[in-house]
Amino acid sequence: QCLLSGSWRSDTGCRMVVSVLGKDGSFSGSYLPGPATGNSEILSSPLGGSQQDAGLVPQPTFSFTVRWRLQDQTTTFLGQCYVGTNGEETLHATWLLREAADSPAEDWKATR
């Protein structure tokens, strides 16, 4: 069964710590970027999200948003938790990073 509670580390060294899941699938926690970001000033930032009911589907989808401290950026992750034949849980996710734009004319370059 795939549950997001606990600590997760990405291939690039980012770390996500998820608190206990609520009965409605909601969760909160913190996210710390890895050395691949190249920015040593980034601190652990709060995250909040939700997971599909793992009791209904064995490999649930999830989403969460990170509100970066000390930056005008927000990142949203959307993915799925997979359980391998050996029982190991793996997260696969896609992300979008949005930074504040100075004007509507600058909006086009604010999302990566």
Side-chain angles (χ1 to χ4, degrees):
Q1 184 175 354
C2 235
L3 295 175
L4 292 181
S5 297
S7 183
W8 297 85
R9 185 170 303 275
S10 75
D11 295 342
T12 59
C14 298
R15 201 176 105 201
M16 174 176 75
V17 178
V18 175
S19 64
V20 176
L21 287 163
K23 289 183 181 183
D24 63 353
S26 65
F27 61 88
S28 61
S30 61
Y31 194 90
L32 183 62
T37 62
N39 188 347
S40 61
E41 296 179 15
I42 297 177
L43 304 173
S44 177
S45 297
L47 67 81
S50 63
Q51 177 182 5
Q52 210 177 1
D53 187 341
L56 298 176
V57 292
Q59 302 184 122
T61 60
F62 63 88
S63 65
F64 65 92
T65 300
V66 176
R67 183 179 43 87
W68 298 105
R69 294 188 194 271
L70 306 178
Q71 294 187 348
D72 59 351
Q73 300 174 337
T74 300
T75 304
T76 298
F77 295 79
L78 178 66
Q80 188 167 357
C81 184
Y82 294 99
V83 180
T85 55
N86 61 355
E88 183 175 321
E89 298 170 335
T90 305
L91 304 182
H92 288 244
T94 299
W95 57 270
L96 285 173
L97 178 126
R98 175 68 187 210
E99 39 193 1
D102 293 331
S103 70
E106 299 293 311
D107 187 66
W108 67 272
K109 64 179 182 178
T111 302
R112 291 187 251 163

